[in-house]
Structure formats: structure tokens, C-alpha cells
Amino acid sequence: MKNFFSMTLCAAAAIAMFFGCDSKAKLAEDIDGTWTAAPVKLTNNEQGYSSITETYMFEQDSAAASGTVVITSMISLQKSAPANAAPTAPFMMTAAARATISGSWVAIDDDEIALQLNPQTLSVEVDPEMVQVAMNPLTDQPNVSPDSLTTSMLDYVKATITQDLNVHYADFTKIDDIKFKQKNATMEFEIGKTDYSLMRQGQLID
């Protein structure tokens, strides 16, 4: 009798393991592809506001519940100088940039993926045509137009956005509560306390 119960427990464990592996493989298969997310808040504080629109390109490793990911983002920024800034510092700045970061992922449950983004791969490109800088109106300095931006000013914009993105992606360790809808044309998930809604590229929604 003891042997019978031992064999039953082993069989149950084997079945659970089989279905667990199968559900991870199904998640990996479903998430494979390119997904564009709706815009979400990047920063929101006393100095300004920025939003980010991200595109996730998940690529599954051959016959594995894991793979690589590249996140491409478009950032829109409106930022004011802190109260203790020098009078010659920019008073108000609006900018747009494109960024990429890459890493790896592995399915750890039927609705959960562990992420490992490499911060060394973070690349930020500021669009000079989309940068507008207004100087402190109490000084005699003129506002800065895109065609008169200096290298130091563009570097300042890039450094600001890079810092915001490093903070943003520090939380990207797990994608949780993944749900596919409309025949896998849309996907919803959570990262930290933020809810994301995404649409698969190249697939029409019925």
C-alpha cells in the first residue's frame, strides 16, 4: 500500500511538471513577436512630466520557454528648471527622443515572465528638431531654437532622459499577470504597479 501511494504521488508530480512546462512553452510561443504599448507616464514631478510609448520585440529561443527582448521607446518630455537652478539654466524645455534597451526573458509561470535587461545596452537619441528651450524671462538670454542648439544643450537633454529611463527600467525584472485577448492580437500585463495594454504588430483585430 505504501508503495502504491508513493507511485501515485510520483505520477501526480510528473503530470504537474508536464503541464507546468507545457504552459510555459505556450506563453513563450504566444508572446513571441512585436508588440506596441499604449503611452504611459515616465515621470511626473514638480519639475515636469514625460511619457513613454514602448515597442517590445520578443524573440523566442528555438524550442525553449525563453528568449531575447528589445524594447524601443519614444519619449516626450516637458521639464522646468528646479527652484535652486542658476539663472542662466533653461527655464522650460520640451524634447523628444528615441531609446532602445535589450536583454533576455524566461517564462516562469503560465502568466509570468522574468526579465533581465542589460543597462549597458541603453541607447538614447535626441531629435534636435523636437527640442525647444525657453530661458528664464528675468534674464536677457534669448530662447533657444532647434537650429541654434549647442552640443552641451543636447547632451543635457540626453542625460536627463537617460537618467529617467535608468530609473524606469530598474523595475523591469518581471512581467506579471499576462493576458492575451482577441485571438492573441492584444496583450495586457503588469510591471510593478503599472498596467500595460499592447497590440501585436502586423495582426488585425477581429
Side-chain angles (χ1 to χ4, degrees), residues 4-204:
F4 172 78
F5 282 118
S6 297
M7 292 175 63
T8 301
L9 289 174
C10 289
I15 292 172
M17 182 177 296
F18 171 79
F19 283 106
C21 293
D22 188 59
S23 63
K24 295 175 188 178
K26 181 66 166 57
L27 173 58
E29 180 182 342
D30 288 343
I31 205 169
D32 183 69
T34 302
W35 302 80
T36 299
V40 296
K41 172 181 66 68
L42 179 60
T43 60
N44 186 17
N45 50 46
E46 66 278 1
Q47 294 182 32
Y49 176 85
S50 61
S51 63
I52 184 169
T53 303
E54 293 166 313
T55 297
Y56 297 73
M57 185 173 69
F58 292 97
E59 185 172 347
Q60 181 186 9
D61 291 335
S62 179
S66 59
T68 59
V69 60
V70 177
I71 305 175
T72 302
S73 58
M74 302 300 296
I75 302 100
S76 177
L77 169 74
Q78 180 173 319
K79 197 176 185 73
S80 60
N84 60 352
T88 55
F91 182 72
M92 179 67 72
M93 175 181 66
T94 59
R98 179 182 183 273
T100 60
I101 190 170
S102 59
S104 59
W105 59 272
V106 58
I108 57 178
D109 205 343
D110 62 348
D111 66 347
E112 187 176 337
I113 281 178
L115 275 180
Q116 187 171 11
L117 298 180
N118 182 357
Q120 299 299 319
T121 65
L122 179 61
S123 173
V124 178
E125 299 176 3
V126 178
D127 183 355
E129 297 298 321
M130 297 298 292
V131 177
Q132 296 285 343
V133 180
M135 304 307 293
N136 192 328
L138 300 180
T139 69
D140 294 329
Q141 291 182 292
N143 292 339
V144 182
S145 59
D147 57 357
S148 61
L149 286 170
T150 63
T151 301
S152 60
M153 185 63 70
L154 289 174
D155 288 344
Y156 170 77
V157 175
K158 180 177 180 179
T160 299
I161 293 175
T162 300
Q163 181 180 14
D164 292 341
L165 287 173
N166 276 321
V167 174
H168 175 66
Y169 286 125
D171 292 334
F172 278 49
T173 57
K174 184 174 67 172
I175 299 178
D176 200 9
D177 198 21
I178 302 171
K179 295 182 178 68
F180 297 96
K181 298 181 177 180
Q182 297 176 295
K183 299 180 180 179
N184 287 3
T186 63
M187 173 170 60
E188 297 175 356
F189 58 63
E190 297 176 1
I191 296 179
K193 297 180 179 180
T194 304
D195 294 326
Y196 289 80
S197 178
L198 305 91
M199 182 179 299
R200 185 188 295 275
Q201 289 190 6
Q203 181 171 339
L204 298 177

